[in-house]
Amino acid sequence: EISACLVGSEMCIETEVVRLGSTVTFLNVSNDTRMTYQIVGTTEADPLNARISNESPVGRMSLNKKKGAIIDVEVPTGTLRLKILDIN
């Protein structure tokens, strides 16, 4: 599926790649845990409510990636290896 369109609206959101506004489910490859975040602008970021900035390490590295991609993200505690499981 290339896009998801709202009925009665001209606004469509591409779901083939991660974009601003996408809700992405990741798998942490090292510990087999899943996490779901919405990628938002910096002013809308609220990590406690699963809304991360497109400028955060995970947000920045996941932009324009497709489902199934594996990304390595540098964080203060080391490197996270995440697999993109789903994009909505």
Side-chain angles (χ1 to χ4, degrees):
E1 180 178 321
I2 294 175
S3 65
C5 298
L6 299 173
V7 176
S9 172
E10 293 180 17
M11 188 176 95
C12 292
I13 301 170
E14 288 189 26
T15 57
E16 190 172 293
V17 297
V18 177
R19 303 228 184 260
L20 194 65
S22 296
T23 299
V24 184
T25 301
F26 297 96
L27 173 70
N28 183 329
V29 175
S30 65
N31 65 14
D32 205 36
T33 58
R34 292 176 184 227
M35 55 195 107
T36 301
Y37 294 106
Q38 183 179 19
I39 310 298
V40 298
T42 55
T43 59
E44 301 168 321
D46 184 0
L48 295 177
N49 288 305
R51 295 168 58 92
I52 60 171
S53 166
N54 61 318
E55 296 180 13
S56 70
V58 173
R60 186 175 56 251
M61 293 301 296
S62 61
L63 286 175
N64 299 312
K65 299 293 190 291
K66 293 183 177 185
K67 182 177 174 179
I70 294 177
I71 58 173
D72 291 317
V73 181
E74 295 297 324
V75 294
T77 57
T79 302
L80 283 177
R81 177 161 277 196
L82 303 174
K83 181 176 182 178
I84 297 174
L85 297 178
D86 199 21
I87 304 167
N88 292 303

